[in-house]
Amino acid sequence: MNLLKSITDQICNLLLSKGINELVDLRVSNIDSCDYQINNLVKYQNHSDINLIKTNISRLLDSSDLIESHNFTENQFLNLRINANSIIQNLENVKNNVLRDNKESVIIDYGGPNIGKPLHVGHLRPLNIGRSIYLTNKIIGNDINSDIHLGDWGMPVAQIITYCELEGISFDELTINMLEEIYPNASKKYSSDNDFKEKSQETNKKLSSGEKEVFSNWKKISELTLTSLKETLLILNHDFDYWWGESSVNDLIPDMLQNLENEGKIEKDDGAFISSQITDPRILITKSDGSYLYITTDLATALLRNKQISHEKVLYVTDNRQKLHFEQLFESLSFFDFPSKEYEHVGFGTINDSNGNPLKTRDGGNLKLVDLYEQAYNYIQEINSTLSETDLHCLTNTVLTYSDLLTNRKTDYKFDLEKFTSVSGKTGIYVQYAQVRAKKLIETLSEQKPTLQIPSTPLGPLDRKLIIALANIEFHLELSLKNNEPHHLANYLYDISNAFNTFYQDSNIKKIDDDAERNQKIFITSLFIEYSHLVMSCLGITPVEKM
Ligand code: ARG
């Protein structure tokens, strides 16, 4: 933790002088009377110098302004209580404080919609989780690029093209609504009608080899999908640095396969290419008819990204069911000696209805994201009819984002609009309300953020609680980054909002006569606004103006 880094560094040196070489691990304590805990000494209970080490640490802590008190438990856990009055001065400029010294360059691959299909509820989690990981990385200063990796190539598109050709549907007159109907029909026909299947395979070959007419029809379909996709993404406040897709790597695949074959990394097996790596089962690289698989394009995509975007790490955000695909991809990338990067699959669970089944429309179809947005919008409007369109829009996105990020990404959760829009409890509405309240207070007192008077007025227990909660931001950021888990920050946002609300209700700030005391409360309130907004921006939530 940066805030207490000077202290942890000094403890580290003290330990080193007694032959103990390790990083000092500071954790948030769950004991009421203390704030942090250091566990390093537990395993050195029988160290010959343990008493001397403790005396030296005590001397150091006693002389520090930042520490109010400390104690060692019988097992040598070290408990620390912070001097909130002195720490408050270090809490300003949170945006600078969270910047990292060691920057990483990262690519995040998320969203991944497929051509011919509208964005549906299954895209909500990858979009929210991906955006939050992206923004959090940006905020701490990492160099991160997002790529949507469209599923815009291969068999599904070939089926659509073949279907249109057979049904005499003009590619110039296609609309997105037509396309959304064509896709499921074509895919049904593909599995039941052999003739259609063969024709589609034929089309797919022509597409891969860039045959002019098929390619130009593909282009029309792809542009149509992309336009509609961008419209929906705009409503939901998403954008990408790269809009590449499977189609972007088609040209790279023949050479890639040729090289791998020459190097003995892949071999023919019944017409298909399989990886020469001995795994169980063996990894299939192309199909027996020579057509490409999901893994073929993902391998080539790694090559394209290597050429075009400088990076050390790649994150793939897809649902848990694709775990095996990514295991095989990462195995193969390493076996094929592709430039070595850190690869990680960021998996997530499903969104279910109240019965625990995946959320669908009433008639069992895929629930479109625009429809889900509209449902939530209307619901919030009913509860609060005085909100402006802009604020309603903002709150709708807050609800769809916050409730989604609150659960650990690996677990499924139940979609419950009533619960998610409640004004109390862990909801997007609650956290927005807290920051609106804080802004309003500052506005009505028409004060700018005052400078802190030193020495400051003694802090009450609720002031203290809020300040310590704000100071803890680094822990939650750290956890969220380390595990690519936005829920740590989503829960933290609730914690600070809750701490602020209790502080606010208790203080009656408007009625405080003493200037110094009032200023201090306003100072703390503005700190809360800064922190709440920073966490919101990590989550992809825009602070609402009025509620
Ligand atoms: N289009 C894929 C799907 O619908 C997701 C793509 C994820 N990214 C990747 N590089 N494979 O499941």
Side-chain angles (χ1 to χ4, degrees):
M1 185 180 184
N2 279 333
L3 211 53
L4 297 180
K5 197 169 177 314
S6 62
I7 291 182
T8 47
D9 281 353
Q10 287 179 66
I11 296 183
C12 212
N13 288 337
L14 275 176
L15 293 179
L16 198 59
S17 70
K18 297 290 165 217
I20 300 173
N21 184 4
E22 54 188 71
L23 282 177
V24 169
D25 182 20
L26 188 77
R27 299 178 189 194
V28 176
S29 167
N30 47 21
I31 305 174
D32 254 359
S33 56
C34 40
D35 306 308
Y36 303 110
Q37 198 181 58
I38 292 178
N39 301 349
N40 292 63
L41 289 188
V42 176
K43 53 182 181 296
Y44 298 110
Q45 287 177 42
N46 302 321
H47 192 284
S48 54
D49 281 332
I50 184 73
N51 286 330
L52 185 60
I53 296 175
K54 281 166 61 182
T55 313
N56 288 342
I57 293 181
S58 285
R59 200 171 296 147
L60 167 75
L61 295 175
D62 287 339
S63 69
S64 165
D65 269 357
L66 296 175
I67 306 295
E68 188 176 297
S69 62
H70 72 277
N71 65 63
F72 292 94
T73 68
E74 216 176 302
N75 305 331
Q76 313 306 349
F77 284 102
L78 169 56
N79 293 322
L80 302 173
R81 188 174 159 89
I82 298 301
N83 180 350
N85 270 72
S86 58
I87 225 157
I88 189 176
Q89 300 160 37
N90 303 336
L91 292 182
E92 274 188 287
N93 300 325
V94 62
K95 277 192 192 138
N96 281 332
N97 292 343
V98 297
L99 284 176
R100 286 263 175 96
D101 295 334
N102 306 329
K103 307 219 179 313
E104 265 189 315
S105 52
V106 187
I107 294 180
I108 182 162
D109 171 322
Y110 73 96
N114 299 326
I115 217 164
K117 284 201 258 180
L119 284 175
H120 56 82
V121 71
H123 293 112
L124 189 66
R125 290 194 97 180
L127 286 170
N128 281 330
I129 294 166
R131 179 178 57 190
S132 172
I133 296 174
Y134 174 85
L135 293 169
T136 310
N137 272 274
K138 271 234 142 122
I139 283 162
I140 60 138
N142 276 347
D143 173 21
I144 184 158
N145 281 293
S146 58
D147 178 12
I148 191 166
H149 199 75
L150 299 163
D152 59 352
W153 200 246
M155 219 29 171
V157 199
Q159 290 168 14
I160 298 176
I161 297 174
T162 313
Y163 189 93
C164 292
E165 281 170 0
L166 291 176
E167 298 285 322
I169 300 169
S170 147
F171 289 92
D172 288 322
E173 280 156 29
L174 264 182
T175 63
I176 191 70
N177 289 341
M178 285 162 74
L179 208 53
E180 287 170 10
E181 266 179 39
I182 291 170
Y183 182 71
N185 289 339
S187 111
K188 236 184 262 157
K189 208 168 160 70
Y190 185 81
S191 36
S192 61
D193 178 340
N194 238 346
D195 191 39
F196 181 75
K197 189 171 178 174
E198 274 168 25
K199 288 204 167 86
S200 300
Q201 283 164 347
E202 212 35 53
T203 313
N204 194 25
K205 277 202 192 116
K206 288 185 190 161
L207 182 63
S208 303
S209 61
E211 205 230 56
K212 233 176 159 187
E213 196 184 334
V214 176
F215 188 80
S216 117
N217 291 339
W218 166 79
K219 196 136 188 70
K220 284 173 196 155
I221 295 176
S222 147
E223 276 164 8
L224 196 62
T225 309
L226 209 58
T227 311
S228 132
L229 200 66
K230 285 189 174 173
E231 273 167 22
T232 310
L233 289 174
L234 190 68
I235 299 175
L236 300 170
N237 215 359
H238 291 281
D239 199 3
F240 289 83
D241 297 313
Y242 292 86
W243 293 81
W244 287 345
E246 297 180 353
S247 65
S248 321
V249 297
N250 183 54
D251 295 347
L252 301 178
I253 295 179
D255 277 355
M256 174 184 85
L257 294 174
Q258 189 63 61
N259 292 340
L260 287 172
E261 194 182 17
N262 294 348
E263 291 161 12
K265 301 276 185 197
I266 57 173
E267 59 203 50
K268 276 269 159 81
D269 182 68
D270 245 349
F273 271 124
I274 57 168
S275 168
S276 303
Q277 187 185 17
I278 306 300
T279 51
D280 184 21
R282 295 291 288 269
I283 303 175
L284 202 58
I285 304 295
T286 62
K287 281 200 209 167
S288 51
D289 64 2
S291 58
Y292 306 150
L293 288 161
Y294 191 33
I295 194 167
T296 332
T297 46
D298 263 334
L299 286 166
T301 300
L303 291 180
L304 175 69
R305 287 176 180 157
N306 269 327
K307 266 201 247 158
Q308 309 268 350
I309 311 171
S310 124
H311 62 286
E312 298 153 352
K313 181 162 148 187
V314 189
L315 305 173
Y316 297 86
V317 184
T318 77
D319 74 43
N320 289 335
R321 288 169 300 183
Q322 297 197 19
K323 186 166 179 270
L324 179 65
H325 165 74
F326 285 102
E327 276 167 12
Q328 295 192 328
L329 174 67
F330 302 161
E331 278 275 339
S332 304
L333 286 167
S334 143
F335 180 71
F336 295 164
D337 288 329
F338 281 20
S340 92
K341 310 274 169 188
E342 200 185 315
Y343 293 103
E344 195 175 330
H345 175 222
V346 179
F348 56 84
T350 48
I351 306 181
N352 293 334
D353 60 19
S354 52
N355 298 319
N357 302 316
L359 192 65
K360 299 258 176 205
T361 55
R362 265 198 211 123
D363 54 11
N366 263 339
L367 181 56
K368 285 196 208 177
L369 269 190
V370 272
D371 294 341
L372 187 70
Y373 172 90
E374 211 175 284
Q375 244 183 54
Y377 186 100
N378 293 340
Y379 197 92
I380 298 171
Q381 192 171 36
E382 253 172 53
I383 306 173
N384 199 332
S385 55
T386 57
L387 288 174
S388 73
E389 214 172 288
T390 318
D391 291 339
L392 268 169
H393 168 68
C394 178
L395 283 180
T396 306
N397 274 332
T398 304
V399 165
L400 292 181
T401 305
Y402 188 76
S403 53
D404 195 45
L405 294 179
L406 201 56
T407 317
N408 182 319
R409 63 174 164 78
K410 291 174 195 142
T411 18
D412 304 346
Y413 74 88
K414 283 185 186 164
F415 192 83
D416 181 343
L417 209 45
E418 192 182 332
K419 183 171 145 198
F420 296 165
T421 50
S422 166
V423 287
S424 60
K426 289 187 179 178
T427 69
I429 304 289
Y430 182 85
V431 295
Q432 286 281 18
Y433 186 60
Q435 64 85 30
V436 167
R437 206 177 203 188
K439 282 193 291 203
K440 214 189 248 165
L441 175 74
I442 295 204
E443 224 174 74
T444 42
L445 296 176
S446 62
E447 306 252 3
Q448 293 302 312
K449 180 175 170 184
T451 39
L452 193 67
Q453 319 252 312
I454 299 173
S456 46
T457 323
L459 294 165
L462 295 176
D463 308 357
R464 185 179 192 284
K465 225 175 167 169
L466 176 56
I467 287 165
I468 301 295
L470 297 181
N472 284 347
I473 192 168
E474 295 176 39
F475 289 96
H476 301 276
L477 256 177
E478 190 58 40
L479 273 176
S480 159
L481 282 160
K482 192 167 115 215
N483 307 316
N484 295 306
E485 290 175 343
H487 76 272
H488 300 287
L489 284 173
N491 282 283
Y492 174 67
L493 180 58
Y494 171 77
D495 291 344
I496 58 172
S497 305
N498 194 27
F500 172 73
N501 274 338
T502 10
F503 155 89
Y504 177 90
Q505 277 150 12
D506 177 73
S507 308
N508 209 351
I509 301 169
K510 290 176 203 158
K511 296 235 165 82
I512 300 176
D513 290 331
D514 182 74
D515 273 357
E517 194 186 340
R518 201 182 59 230
N519 272 355
Q520 183 162 287
K521 298 270 190 203
I522 296 170
F523 183 83
I524 299 175
T525 302
S526 20
L527 282 182
F528 164 70
I529 297 174
E530 264 178 67
Y531 279 63
S532 155
H533 287 189
L534 183 93
V535 180
M536 283 188 177
S537 50
C538 289
L539 297 174
I541 292 174
T542 313
V544 73
E545 281 314 317
K546 278 205 183 87
M547 272 177 87

